[in-house]
């Protein structure tokens, strides 16, 4: 039995290809329509712009309060006076004040006539290294080895007997240690009292106690009385509560 239709003339065989080609053409046409730009002629105004140049007038600057110009310099006239060559000028003679060799020394001083006065230098020695310590009243007759211990014991007793806590320091709650340094001079007097502590009130009280020390026998170094420095700490402390 023969086929009624020619297979080569069948339309539906390539329908998908035709559909794809048509779809692409439509998309291309739609894209061109969307991208097409048009302009309204009524909104565009083309005109000729004429710019006139402005003329700027130069105004001179006048300073009303300007000072007057300085006067011209004064011409200095030089006067030249001609002096004759025959004028004699008296020269001033300056005599020398130096002593010449011709001038002899009228009075000769011999070496034996010059008196040399010996000046004794006061030496200050620390209490720890002095040969013979100062003798505190009441320590007389003690051996040399016990003299320092006696001096220190008498010093502590003197501080305790004359100690008085300042009322102002108690009210302010001031307490602490005061270091006092003083010198026993070559005659046994107490001099050069200095102190350092937490407050001026306590320093003044410590200096008052040391100032009440009695006169002592001075310390000696190599058989001569010398100044002796001594330091003593004084503690100011009160019971709280």
């Amino acid at each position: 039995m023969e086929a009624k239709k020619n297979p080569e003339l069948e339309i539906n065989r390539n329908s998908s290809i035709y559909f794809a080609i048509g779809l692409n053409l439509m998309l291309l046409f739609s894209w061109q329509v969307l991208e097409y730009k048009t302009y309204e002629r009524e909104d565009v105004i083309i005109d000729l712009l004429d710019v006139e140049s402005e003329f700027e007038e130069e105004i001179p600057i006048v300073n009303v309060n300007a000072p007057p110009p300085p006067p011209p310099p004064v011409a200095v006239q030089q006067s030249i006076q001609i002096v004759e060559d025959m004028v004699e000028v008296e020269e001033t003679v300056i005599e020398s004040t130096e002593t010449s060799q011709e001038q002899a020394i009228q009075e000769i001083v011999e070496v034996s006539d010059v008196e040399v006065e010996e000046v004794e230098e006061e030496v200050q020695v620390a209490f720890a290294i002095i040969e013979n310590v100062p003798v505190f009243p009441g320590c007389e007759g003690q051996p040399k080895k016990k003299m320092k211990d006696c001096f220190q014991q008498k010093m502590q007793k003197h501080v305790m007997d004359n100690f008085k806590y300042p009322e102002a320091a108690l009210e302010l709650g001031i307490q602490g240690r005061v270091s006092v340094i003083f010198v026993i001079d070559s005659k046994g007097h107490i001099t050069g009292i200095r102190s350092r502590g937490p407050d001026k009130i306590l320093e003044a009280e410590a200096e008052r106690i040391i100032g009440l020390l009695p006169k002592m026998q001075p310390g000696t170094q190599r058989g001569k009385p010398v100044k002796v420095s001594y330091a003593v700490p004084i503690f100011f402390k009160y019971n709280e509560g």
Side-chain angles (χ1 to χ4, degrees):
M1 184 175 178
E2 297 180 359
K4 295 182 180 181
K5 297 182 180 179
N6 188 359
E8 297 178 358
L9 299 176
E10 186 176 359
I11 299 174
N12 294 330
R13 185 177 59 180
N14 297 323
S15 60
S16 59
I17 296 174
Y18 298 148
F19 178 76
I21 294 172
L23 181 59
N24 290 330
L25 292 174
M26 290 300 295
L27 291 173
L28 179 60
F29 179 75
S30 301
W31 176 72
Q32 289 291 336
V33 171
L34 292 174
E35 292 294 328
Y36 182 74
K37 297 180 180 180
T38 58
Y39 301 94
E40 295 182 1
R41 296 182 179 179
E42 295 179 357
D43 295 339
V44 179
I45 300 175
I46 300 175
D47 197 357
L48 180 62
L49 180 61
D50 186 11
V51 178
E52 295 181 359
S53 61
E54 297 181 358
F55 176 74
E56 295 182 358
E57 183 180 359
E58 295 183 359
I59 301 174
I61 299 174
V62 180
N63 191 355
V64 179
N65 297 326
V74 180
V76 179
Q77 296 181 357
Q78 297 182 356
S79 177
I80 302 174
Q81 184 178 1
I82 300 174
V83 182
E84 296 181 359
D85 297 337
M86 298 302 293
V87 177
E88 296 182 359
V89 179
E90 295 182 0
E91 296 182 357
T92 303
V93 179
I94 300 175
E95 297 182 358
S96 176
T97 57
E98 296 181 358
T99 304
S100 63
Q101 296 180 357
E102 298 176 357
Q103 296 177 353
I105 301 175
Q106 297 179 359
E107 184 179 357
I108 300 174
V109 179
E110 296 182 359
V111 179
S112 59
D113 296 337
V114 179
E115 295 181 359
V116 179
E117 182 179 357
E118 295 183 0
V119 178
E120 294 184 359
E121 182 181 358
E122 292 192 43
V123 181
Q124 181 172 321
V125 186
F127 183 85
I129 61 174
I130 188 72
E131 289 182 358
N132 298 313
V133 298
V135 180
F136 203 102
C139 295
E140 295 86 353
Q142 295 285 344
K144 184 177 179 180
K145 295 181 179 180
K146 295 184 179 180
M147 193 65 69
K148 286 187 178 181
D149 295 337
C150 182
F151 183 94
Q152 293 175 353
Q153 292 174 3
K154 291 289 185 179
M155 181 66 65
Q156 293 177 0
K157 186 176 183 301
H158 172 81
V159 172
M160 294 177 62
D161 293 343
N162 295 276
F163 182 85
K164 183 179 180 182
Y165 211 110
E167 293 292 338
L170 288 173
E171 294 176 359
L172 298 174
I174 301 172
Q175 57 183 346
R177 170 180 172 175
V178 179
S179 298
V180 186
I181 301 175
F182 61 94
V183 176
I184 305 170
D185 64 8
S186 58
K187 295 182 180 180
H189 298 288
I190 306 301
T191 60
I193 302 174
R194 294 175 296 166
S195 62
R196 186 174 182 180
D199 193 83
K200 295 294 183 181
I201 301 175
L202 301 183
E203 292 178 358
E205 176 60 22
E207 293 179 6
R208 184 192 68 83
I209 296 172
I210 299 302
L212 297 176
L213 284 170
K215 182 181 177 181
M216 309 177 189
Q217 294 182 14
T220 58
Q221 184 78 9
R222 297 179 181 179
K224 293 183 179 181
V226 294
K227 294 181 178 180
V228 181
S229 60
Y230 188 82
V232 56
I234 300 177
F235 296 89
F236 291 83
K237 188 175 181 180
Y238 58 89
N239 295 326
E240 299 180 358

